[in-house]
Amino acid sequence: MFPSLAQLFAAFLRLGITAFGGPAMIPYVRKMAVEKKLWLDGESFQDGVALCQTIPGATVMQMAAYIGLKARGVRGAMASYIGFILPAFLLMLALSIAYSRAHGLPAVISAFSGLQAVIVAVVANATLSFGRTSLQNRKNAIIALAAAGLFGLTANPVLIIILAALLGMLLNGGQPAARTAPPARMRHTTLPLLLFLAISAACYALLFFFQKDFFHLAVLMSKVDLMAFGGGFASVPLMFHEIVEVRSWMDGPTFLNGIILGQFTPGPIVITATFVGYLMHGMVGAIIATAGIFLPSFLILIGVAPWFDRMRSSPWFTRAIAGILCSFCGLLFTVTIRFGLNVQWDWMHAALAVAAFVGLYFKLDILWVVLAGTAVSVLVF
């Protein structure tokens, strides 16, 4: 059964409204697309998850596009992708507007003061979760520790990723798992991809010649997206590094507040880009930053998906990806420390961070952790 574009958009719009927890949404996407709608078989869905974990971008967003691509080609991928992210974008835009007008109010300041400690717990828990799945042996741990040290020294992230890929190819062994059935045939995407690339290049050129501030914002967000192997949480520390430490477009506490607002929105945490764009350049900046943080990985998906099975058969490719994912365990460890340094710690902040970490560790929904942290912050701080 092939869904219409409207059906794809509506289904993922509905999922997008409740898409809290990022990658935790994958089982719900599977239930909708495989079990309920029968748009995909289980093995094809698993192939999609493997692909989306090995290319840049937020995994759950990429899965939405992958399902649309399998069902209705590139137009289906667009319908699913836009439908899934639209609720998060609109809510983050509203929150950004409210923040820019009310962040000086005592209640808001106190809420964000406590929630900054909660965000440290969120990233620390993400580090632990990534470590459990990616660091299967001492060799992987060596890659992660090396990356953590280099990120701590503020080395170039691209060079760190390349080094991790090389170490992964040299140190990791094992063969990729074989398929039990041939892959379902996917439509060619070469012509639509070339059209997208041409339109994107034209848009970047117009920004460069007529509004360079917007151009630099778009390029930075695209750069972050292209380096964001390992899902949305990998994008946040890269964004923090580029915006706060390299360019000083905003200070650390303000950026952390953007991440906090992102916890109130469904969808991937990289929707923080909307907050950054709005605070820098208003409504137009929010749109450009959001497009920049999602467009490159979307184009990679539609270009790579038809050929993924061929690449997946290479053990060298698999080992390189494993090395890259290990490097992001190190990155998340480093950024946990950096985020922690931006919090004005006392015993109440420490207790709130510990409570949040324990709740997340025992699988409490992140939305309830954030809401509870907000209530405690308003009442205590």
Side-chain angles (χ1 to χ4, degrees):
M1 174 183 176
F2 293 102
S4 66
L5 297 179
Q7 287 174 324
L8 282 169
F9 179 84
F12 280 99
L13 180 70
R14 181 178 180 182
L15 273 178
I17 293 171
T18 58
F20 293 94
M25 278 298 295
I26 292 292
Y28 299 96
V29 174
R30 187 186 191 283
K31 183 176 181 180
M32 184 275 293
V34 177
E35 300 175 12
K36 185 177 179 180
K37 303 289 189 181
L38 304 178
W39 291 342
L40 226 61
D41 61 75
E43 192 166 15
S44 294
F45 186 88
Q46 290 303 106
D47 284 347
V49 173
L51 168 61
C52 296
Q53 287 176 331
T54 54
I55 61 176
T59 304
V60 68
M61 284 288 298
Q62 299 289 65
M63 274 307 298
Y66 179 82
I67 292 168
L69 187 65
K70 294 282 285 187
R72 289 296 303 269
V74 174
R75 290 186 298 169
M78 291 177 59
S80 301
Y81 205 68
I82 294 172
F84 194 82
I85 197 57
L86 188 59
F89 169 73
L90 293 176
L91 183 54
M92 177 54 99
L93 183 60
L95 289 173
S96 299
I97 294 171
Y99 174 87
S100 67
R101 297 179 180 178
H103 67 275
L105 296 178
V108 176
I109 291 175
S110 64
F112 284 172
S113 172
L115 283 177
Q116 285 178 351
V118 174
I119 293 303
V120 174
V122 169
V123 182
N125 183 69
T127 305
L128 181 62
S129 299
F130 268 77
R132 283 177 170 174
T133 58
S134 299
L135 306 182
Q136 300 295 328
N137 52 54
R138 291 183 179 179
K139 295 176 181 179
N140 288 340
I142 290 171
I143 298 173
L145 288 173
L150 291 172
F151 279 115
L153 296 172
T154 64
N156 188 304
V158 176
L159 296 180
I160 298 173
I161 292 170
I162 293 173
L163 176 62
L166 292 174
L167 288 175
M169 288 189 286
L170 292 173
L171 299 180
N172 287 317
Q175 296 290 330
R179 288 184 61 99
T180 59
R185 191 175 183 86
M186 185 179 290
R187 306 176 189 184
H188 290 291
T189 60
T190 303
L191 289 178
L193 178 61
L194 291 175
L195 179 61
F196 266 116
L197 289 173
I199 294 173
S200 300
C203 291
Y204 279 107
L206 288 172
L207 291 177
F208 178 80
F209 286 111
F210 295 103
Q211 184 52 268
K212 287 194 176 180
D213 287 343
F214 290 158
F215 172 79
H216 292 310
L217 177 63
V219 169
L220 172 61
M221 291 303 176
S222 296
K223 175 183 175 182
V224 170
D225 190 36
L226 287 171
M227 293 190 296
F229 290 89
F233 270 107
S235 301
V236 171
L238 289 171
M239 207 186 304
F240 179 88
H241 173 75
E242 294 288 341
I243 291 170
V244 176
E245 298 177 345
V246 176
R247 291 167 174 79
S248 300
W249 284 351
M250 62 179 56
D251 58 32
T254 300
F255 185 82
L256 285 177
N257 289 340
I259 299 173
I260 292 166
L261 292 181
Q263 302 305 315
F264 285 100
T265 64
I269 195 170
V270 293
I271 199 64
T272 302
T274 304
F275 172 84
V276 173
Y278 183 83
L279 259 61
M280 291 182 62
H281 301 295
M283 188 77 69
V284 177
I287 295 171
I288 289 174
T290 306
I293 204 69
F294 290 118
L295 179 62
S297 53
F298 174 77
L299 296 181
I300 290 172
L301 175 74
I302 64 174
V304 168
W307 314 104
F308 178 69
D309 287 298
R310 185 179 301 174
M311 292 190 298
R312 189 70 171 171
S313 66
S314 168
W316 294 104
F317 177 78
T318 303
R319 294 171 189 174
I321 293 301
I324 290 170
L325 293 178
C326 290
S327 75
F328 277 100
C329 293
L331 175 61
L332 289 173
F333 176 77
T334 303
V335 85
T336 301
I337 297 174
R338 290 179 181 170
F339 280 11
L341 294 176
N342 282 285
V343 178
Q344 299 296 320
W345 292 104
D346 55 29
W347 73 271
M348 283 298 301
H349 282 86
L352 186 58
V354 170
F357 182 84
V358 170
L360 292 168
Y361 181 82
F362 287 103
K363 310 300 182 184
L364 186 64
D365 192 297
I366 191 172
L367 176 62
W368 297 115
V369 172
V370 172
L371 290 176
T374 303
V376 172
S377 296
V378 171
L379 292 173
V380 175
F381 294 104

